[in-house]
Amino acid sequence: MIEFLERFEPTTQALFATLFTWGVTALGASLVFFFKTINKKVFDTMLGFAAGVMIAASFWSLISPGLALAEEMGYTPWIVAAAGFMGGGLFLFVVDKSLPHMHLGLAPKEKEGPKTSWQRSILLVLAITLHNIPEGLAVGVAFGAVAAGIESATLAGAIVLAVGIGIQNFPEGAAVSIPLRREGMGRGKAFLYGQASGVVEPIAGVLGAMLVLSMRSILPFALCFAAGAMIYVVAEELIPEAQSNKNSDYATMGVMIGFTIMMVLDVALG
């Protein structure tokens, strides 16, 4: 895999990586062809797992190298990390308030953002799409950091991040398609909606890589920005949804397992 990606420029590497993460989203959405419903305990465990992966990736793949890079570049590491992290969270907060969407498991009257007459299915897809913006951005920034010649950034680490994001995208694809199928939507249409939530990742990935290549000086900030956006998604959406059905033990174990798997991948292979 490393030898294959080394043949291409960073933006193409980021494109391939995020096409993979989109593909895993589609794979998760394809469960709709086999299941009309999913056990709530399994579903909440899957959401917790996705949250655990994102938490681990935020630190080991983004914040940690961001701190090291800030120090290498002569910045004050904690200032860069804090500003980037909070900036990512505030960015998602603004997007969350500006884009109409609806979280899983909520009634139509509980949709968020500006008032709209859009259908529930569209609002559900938009909610998951919000997750995928920082994920694609994080992968693109990671590949851009390698090309920028950052000592603490490696191609293996960027690949591990993409694999981790891909793993947690599997339950997200299912989280859109299966509920839509349960509500009466056809399997094919439910699958299309489920995989559509991942379309934004290749776009955000390429933009992230292009950004850090053209503005290397902001790379430490960009790494922490992506981490802040991911943690915002975890705290604002994934964990509350995983806990909403009173399966807190299963959701918590999902978080622990996801965190451990991503930590092992990043530390051992990255």
Side-chain angles (χ1 to χ4, degrees):
M1 175 64 72
I2 293 178
E3 291 77 8
F4 172 76
L5 288 176
E6 284 177 338
R7 306 173 189 173
F8 302 97
E9 62 172 341
T11 52
T12 305
Q13 293 173 344
L15 177 62
F16 283 148
T18 46
L19 285 174
F20 162 76
T21 60
W22 178 18
V24 180
T25 303
L27 188 63
S30 71
L31 291 180
V32 75
F33 293 109
F34 306 98
F35 305 100
K36 188 173 182 178
T37 61
I38 186 169
N39 183 279
K40 287 185 177 180
K41 291 179 180 178
V42 173
F43 183 72
D44 292 338
T45 303
M46 292 168 65
L47 287 178
F49 177 87
V53 169
M54 291 179 71
I55 293 169
S58 294
F59 178 74
W60 271 282
S61 296
L62 299 170
I63 294 176
S64 181
L67 287 167
L69 178 57
E71 189 170 5
E72 289 175 18
M73 299 177 71
Y75 302 146
T76 303
W78 68 266
I79 293 178
V80 173
F85 187 83
M86 289 302 299
L90 288 171
F91 169 74
L92 257 290
F93 175 80
V94 172
V95 173
D96 194 59
K97 298 302 180 185
S98 304
L99 186 67
H101 63 284
M102 185 170 63
H103 298 310
L104 298 167
L106 297 182
K109 65 180 180 180
E110 296 180 277
K111 57 190 177 185
E112 299 184 4
K115 292 184 178 180
T116 179
S117 59
W118 291 353
Q119 295 179 347
R120 170 180 165 84
S121 55
I122 298 296
L123 297 175
L124 285 173
V125 172
L126 287 175
I128 301 298
T129 300
L130 288 177
H131 293 187
N132 294 334
I133 292 173
E135 294 168 11
L137 179 65
V139 173
V141 168
F143 279 97
V146 177
I150 306 306
E151 184 178 348
S152 57
T154 66
L155 187 57
I159 292 172
V160 165
L161 176 61
V163 170
I165 295 297
I167 290 172
Q168 67 89 37
N169 274 357
F170 184 84
E172 286 191 354
V176 175
S177 61
I178 291 179
L180 292 178
R181 173 59 181 159
R182 187 172 60 244
E183 293 172 6
M185 184 177 287
R187 287 187 175 90
K189 191 173 182 180
F191 168 75
L192 288 176
Y193 277 116
Q195 63 82 33
S197 63
V199 173
V200 72
E201 288 199 5
I203 299 171
V206 170
L207 287 176
M210 292 175 61
L211 178 65
V212 299
L213 286 172
S214 60
M215 302 176 67
R216 186 179 184 276
S217 60
I218 69 165
L219 184 51
F221 177 88
L223 287 165
C224 297
F225 180 95
M230 288 174 66
I231 292 298
Y232 181 91
V233 168
V234 170
E236 196 267 343
E237 196 160 332
L238 287 182
I239 289 180
E241 287 172 8
Q243 302 276 354
S244 63
N245 294 315
K246 299 183 179 179
N247 295 316
S248 59
D249 290 343
Y250 291 90
T252 301
M253 285 309 301
V255 173
M256 298 294 290
I257 294 168
F259 186 96
T260 300
I261 290 176
M262 186 62 202
M263 176 179 64
V264 170
L265 285 174
D266 214 321
V267 176
L269 303 178

